[in-house]
């Protein structure tokens, strides 16, 4: 029998029959989630659909992460609407302000497991693909349809394999690896496709580092960023599941993680990636460490190693935001927050922070930010005249200390 | 048949320039079309007229899942978007809200701003001054969602059967 890709097998398992690439299928959804940003439109759509009770409140997660705490009266009003919805529908997996970013909280709570079909009303829902499951982002109306019916229509995606050989080392992280991959694939090189990351570099890296990799699959247009589950996956989730493997030939791109240098995505396009040394010395006004891409404990830890005993540059505001409450607690217990505060960093409330350009570090005209987040579109973090460089936690920390873009390898 | 005059944009038009995040948390949804494509042309919302068509390059609508991007375009009166290719979440959001999309290779080169083009959604053909460009029509069930006016209306129609 001909083999299949892991993603085909997961979808086939969900629909109960074999599926072909390119086929449109209605797929039962194991778990869906959304946040305070997409929530209000989901509720509006359900109302227009005439749905009073959602199908299965236990299979839904809601995490408030976009406006934490609300930055305007209107944001607060919309959050109250979602809060009331969660209560009226009896949704137990509801996480109000301050719990963390949805893509972090959902796996931390063990709401998902390998082999599942997971849909989130946020483009970075592709992050969860690194837990050996199929996860993709949709808009509000699709999510409302899932809440009403428990199903979604999908086109079975073709898989593009990204084979990552070698091993990351020193001040080079999985962020540098994924930036290099985005450069190679381009901003639309994986549109409608599933990316599957594999190889020694992926097997060796932590589950948190894998989340960084899968998180940016959407920046190449991909539907998901699949990574086969292993013991690290089960440990992170606190549960096991059904492990699916690709056993057919797919198109592959190869990248050598062992020879990578720190990278930065220059303003305007995530694929505009250069080695850090090529833009070293560029003045920055702000450095941001956080987001669903790089706000995890290991990111804070690596950044703290660089900042420890040093001061943030006087012309730079360094904003640090842990991706979840549990990340925050562990970082605080281990003294990382002390290091950041003493160095002159500003610690923000757990959530998406300034990534989407509405609060907690919005950029003014002509300002420059180096950020661990995932998008550097025009105006993404504030003024349309501002610019954003994307880099690893190490590069952002080194740059915060120097007040200009700096290769983290300069710090021992 | 959809006929209208064209506003032209380039590649990788992302959802942050279509509708910046700072306008999303508004309880007054009529503000969205007022800021349509503000990131690329601050005067666009005052120029765009009902029935106009947006033509763009590759990867239109890339970025976030914000459905407001498709809604802002629709509510500004734009009758269709024709692009070399679309980002997948935007594609879904547009169909789900009854905004017609046509993925049409070669459209950028065949059309100038201000041209009048004609779109036949059934065949996928786009009539330009340089001739007819052929594209794959939407699969039948997506056409059905679009013809219903969106996924909400589709759901209601199915329930009624």
């Amino acid at each position: 029998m001909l083999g299949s890709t892991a993603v085909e097998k997961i979808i086939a398992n969900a629909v109960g029959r074999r599926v072909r690439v390119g086929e449109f299928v209605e797929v039962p959804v194991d778990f869906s989630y959304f946040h305070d940003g997409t929530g209000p439109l989901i509720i509006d759509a359900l109302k227009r659909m005439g749905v009073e009770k959602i199908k299965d409140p236990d299979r839904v997660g809601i995490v408030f992460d976009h406006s934490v705490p609300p930055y305007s009266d209107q944001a607060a009003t919309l959050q109250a609407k979602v809060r009331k919805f969660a209560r009226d529908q009896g949704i137990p997996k509801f996480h109000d302000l301050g719990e963390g970013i949805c893509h972090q909280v959902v796996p931390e709570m063990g709401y998902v497991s390998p082999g599942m079909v997971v849909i989130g009303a946020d483009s970075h829902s592709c992050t969860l693909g690194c837990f050996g499951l199929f996860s993709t982002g949709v808009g509000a109306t699709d999510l409302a349809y899932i809440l009403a019916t428990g199903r979604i229509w999908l086109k079975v995606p073709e898989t593009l394999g990204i084979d990552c050989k070698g091993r990351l080392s020193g001040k080079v992280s999985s962020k540098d690896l994924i930036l290099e991959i985005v450069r190679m694939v381009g901003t639309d090189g994986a549109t409608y496709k599933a990316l599957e990351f594999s190889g020694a570099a992926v097997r060796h890296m932590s589950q948190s580092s894998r989340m960084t990799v899968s998180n940016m699959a959407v920046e190449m247009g991909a539907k998901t960023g699949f990574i086969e589950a292993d013991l690290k996956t089960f440990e992170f989730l606190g549960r096991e599941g059904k492990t699916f493997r690709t056993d057919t030939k797919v198109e592959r791109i190869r990248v050598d993680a062992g020879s990578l240098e720190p990278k930065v995505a220059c303003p305007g396009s995530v694929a505009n990636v250069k080695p850090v040394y090529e833009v070293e010395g560029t003045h920055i006004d702000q450095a941001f460490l956080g987001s669903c891409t790089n706000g995890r404990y290991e990111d804070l830890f690596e950044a703290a190693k660089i900042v420890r005993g040093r001061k943030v540059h006087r012309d730079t505001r360094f904003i640090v935001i842990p991706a979840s409450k549990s990340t925050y607690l562990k970082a605080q217990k281990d003294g990382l927050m002390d290091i950041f505060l003493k160095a002159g960093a500003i610690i923000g409330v757990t959530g998406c922070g300034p990534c989407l350009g509405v609060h907690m570090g919005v950029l003014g005209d002509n300002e420059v930010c180096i950020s661990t987040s995932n998008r550097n579109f025009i105006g993404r973090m504030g003024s349309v005249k501002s610019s954003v460089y994307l880099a690893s936690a190490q590069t952002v920390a080194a740059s915060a200390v120097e007040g200009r873009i700096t290769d983290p390898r300069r710090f021992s | 048949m959809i006929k209208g005059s064209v506003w032209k944009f380039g590649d990788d038009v992302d959802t942050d320039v279509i509708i910046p995040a700072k306008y999303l948390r508004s309880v007054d949804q009529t503000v969205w079309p007022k800021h349509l494509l503000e990131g690329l042309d601050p005067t666009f919302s005052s120029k765009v007229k009902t029935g106009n068509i947006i033509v763009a390059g590759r990867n239109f609508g890339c970025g976030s899942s914000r459905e407001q991007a498709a809604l802002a375009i629709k509510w500004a009166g734009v009758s269709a978007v024709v692009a070399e290719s679309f980002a997948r979440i935007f594609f879904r959001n547009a169909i789900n809200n009854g905004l017609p999309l046509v993925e049409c290779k070669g459209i950028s080169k065949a059309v100038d701003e201000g041209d009048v083009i004609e779109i036949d959604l059934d065949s996928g053909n786009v009539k330009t001054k340089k001739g007819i460009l052929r594209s794959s029509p939407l699969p039948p069930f997506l056409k059905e969602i679009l013809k219903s006016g969106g996924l909400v209306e589709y759901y209601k129609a199915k329930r009624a059967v």
Side-chain angles (χ1 to χ4, degrees):
Chain A
M1 194 169 118
L2 284 169
S4 313
T5 66
V7 165
E8 280 171 61
K9 287 180 191 176
I10 292 171
I11 295 173
N13 180 59
V15 298
R17 63 169 174 84
R18 205 179 157 94
V19 296
R20 297 181 319 272
V21 166
E23 182 185 351
F24 286 89
V25 280
E26 244 213 344
V27 187
V29 175
D30 295 302
F31 190 76
S32 67
Y33 65 103
F34 59 95
H35 50 64
D36 51 324
T38 43
L41 282 183
I42 294 170
I43 297 166
D44 290 353
L46 281 170
K47 201 170 172 191
R48 285 190 290 127
M49 288 161 89
V51 174
E52 279 172 14
K53 273 310 218 184
I54 63 168
K55 194 166 163 53
D56 193 346
D58 286 332
R59 288 176 188 264
V60 182
I62 304 175
V63 184
F64 281 5
D65 56 12
H66 270 50
S67 326
V68 185
Y71 56 81
S72 67
D73 58 339
Q74 303 207 3
T77 303
L78 291 173
Q79 276 180 353
K81 175 174 169 170
V82 181
R83 197 175 282 122
K84 180 176 184 300
F85 173 81
R87 196 171 48 236
D88 291 350
Q89 295 291 334
I91 294 170
K93 297 179 176 92
F94 171 60
H95 299 267
D96 212 313
L97 300 167
E99 296 282 321
I101 306 173
C102 60
H103 312 301
Q104 186 68 19
V105 172
V106 164
E108 269 182 6
M109 295 301 295
Y111 292 157
V112 295
S113 62
M116 278 187 172
V117 171
V118 178
I119 309 287
D122 185 275
S123 61
H124 290 107
S125 305
C126 56
T127 308
L128 300 197
C130 76
F131 293 95
L133 49 84
F134 176 81
S135 183
T136 194
V138 297
T141 306
D142 268 323
L143 210 289
Y145 189 87
I146 295 168
L147 295 182
T149 65
R151 305 168 86 84
I152 188 171
W153 66 265
L154 288 173
K155 189 172 167 185
V156 180
E158 179 188 336
T159 291
L160 172 62
I162 310 286
D163 193 2
C164 310
K165 68 169 195 165
R167 236 177 136 150
L168 294 165
S169 63
K171 295 269 188 298
V172 180
S173 73
S174 70
K175 180 60 163 290
D176 301 299
L177 174 65
I178 191 62
L179 288 176
E180 173 63 6
I181 293 168
V182 178
R183 186 192 67 78
M184 294 166 79
V185 174
T187 52
D188 63 351
T191 302
Y192 306 126
K193 293 179 188 172
L195 288 173
E196 179 171 348
F197 303 98
S198 61
V202 174
R203 295 271 68 90
H204 277 123
M205 70 175 68
S206 67
Q207 191 62 41
S208 290
S209 291
R210 292 175 187 172
M211 289 176 79
T212 304
V213 170
S214 293
N215 177 265
M216 294 190 73
V218 69
E219 311 313 331
M220 294 166 269
K223 212 165 203 166
T224 194
F226 181 82
I227 295 177
E228 201 179 294
D230 61 12
L231 288 174
K232 288 176 191 170
T233 318
F234 305 148
E235 197 184 327
F236 189 107
L237 297 171
R239 61 191 287 197
E240 294 188 15
K242 239 175 163 173
T243 306
F244 291 95
R245 254 179 215 106
T246 293
D247 58 7
T248 187
K249 226 176 152 165
V250 298
E251 185 192 344
R252 280 182 189 281
I253 290 176
R254 289 182 173 77
V255 53
D256 181 7
S259 63
L260 271 186
E261 296 185 284
K263 302 277 179 184
V264 62
C266 298
S269 168
V270 186
N272 189 12
V273 174
K274 293 176 181 166
V276 171
Y277 65 75
E278 277 190 26
V279 292
E280 256 202 315
T282 304
H283 168 83
I284 55 163
D285 301 284
Q286 176 169 305
F288 170 47
L289 169 62
S291 82
C292 55
T293 320
N294 283 116
R296 282 171 280 280
Y297 181 83
E298 67 176 29
D299 302 307
L300 302 182
F301 184 83
E302 290 301 325
K305 280 205 295 197
I306 289 171
V307 171
R308 188 179 184 168
R310 297 189 169 99
K311 290 279 178 207
V312 172
H313 193 274
R314 59 177 187 172
D315 297 333
T316 308
R317 45 184 194 264
F318 183 27
I319 297 164
V320 179
I321 302 185
S324 67
K325 189 194 262 182
S326 74
T327 305
Y328 202 146
L329 283 168
K330 183 166 164 54
Q332 183 164 285
K333 184 164 157 278
D334 293 353
L336 305 187
M337 292 319 194
D338 278 24
I339 294 172
F340 289 126
L341 281 172
K342 283 175 186 162
I346 304 157
I347 314 275
V349 191
T350 291
C352 303
C355 172
L356 60 157
V358 290
H359 68 161
M360 300 219 288
V362 178
L363 303 176
D365 288 352
N366 306 315
E367 284 199 318
V368 178
C369 177
I370 188 160
S371 170
T372 60
S373 55
N374 43 41
R375 289 194 176 131
N376 59 354
F377 304 154
I378 300 164
R380 169 75 181 183
M381 291 180 77
S383 164
V384 290
K385 291 181 195 155
S386 64
S387 41
V388 179
Y389 290 82
L390 304 175
S392 71
Q394 291 90 329
T395 303
V396 166
S399 305
V401 169
E402 294 293 331
R404 50 206 159 90
I405 296 179
T406 302
D407 193 319
R409 291 173 299 182
R410 294 187 186 281
F411 291 77
S412 55
Chain B
M1 195 74 79
I2 299 169
K3 189 175 173 183
S5 74
V6 164
W7 294 101
K8 221 179 138 181
F9 293 90
D11 292 339
D12 295 319
V13 174
D14 62 75
T15 53
D16 277 278
V17 298
I18 296 174
I19 177 80
K22 61 184 165 191
Y23 304 118
L24 300 182
R25 239 55 84 213
S26 173
V27 287
D28 175 13
Q29 304 183 346
T30 60
V31 304
W32 301 333
K34 289 181 194 151
H35 299 282
L36 179 60
L37 283 153
E38 188 176 276
L40 292 178
D41 177 1
T43 63
F44 185 70
S45 67
S46 61
K47 296 188 296 196
V48 67
K49 292 196 171 63
T50 301
N52 286 171
I53 294 170
I54 288 177
V55 168
R58 284 163 50 177
N59 207 22
F60 186 88
C62 61
S64 93
S65 69
R66 65 189 67 158
E67 204 150 302
Q68 290 92 339
L71 290 172
I73 293 173
K74 189 182 173 185
W75 292 348
V78 171
S79 59
V81 185
V82 187
E84 302 280 340
S85 67
F86 292 94
R88 55 164 288 277
I89 302 177
F90 178 84
F91 184 89
R92 297 185 73 103
N93 288 345
I95 302 293
N96 286 344
N97 286 286
L99 172 67
L101 300 182
V102 182
E103 194 164 288
C104 181
K105 302 280 178 249
I107 190 71
S108 298
K109 283 194 180 139
V111 172
D112 293 309
E113 191 151 288
D115 283 3
V116 173
I117 61 172
E118 270 181 51
I119 303 165
D120 180 358
L121 288 176
D122 282 323
S123 65
N125 288 351
V126 180
K127 196 170 154 193
T128 73
K129 64 183 176 194
K130 290 188 180 166
I132 290 174
L133 293 174
R134 293 180 200 287
S135 69
S136 316
L138 291 172
F141 94 100
L142 287 189
K143 258 188 207 164
E144 207 183 320
I145 294 175
L146 196 58
K147 279 186 179 153
S148 316
L151 192 63
V152 167
E153 291 72 19
Y154 175 82
Y155 170 86
K156 281 160 70 176
K158 284 246 163 181
R159 292 261 305 191
V161 173

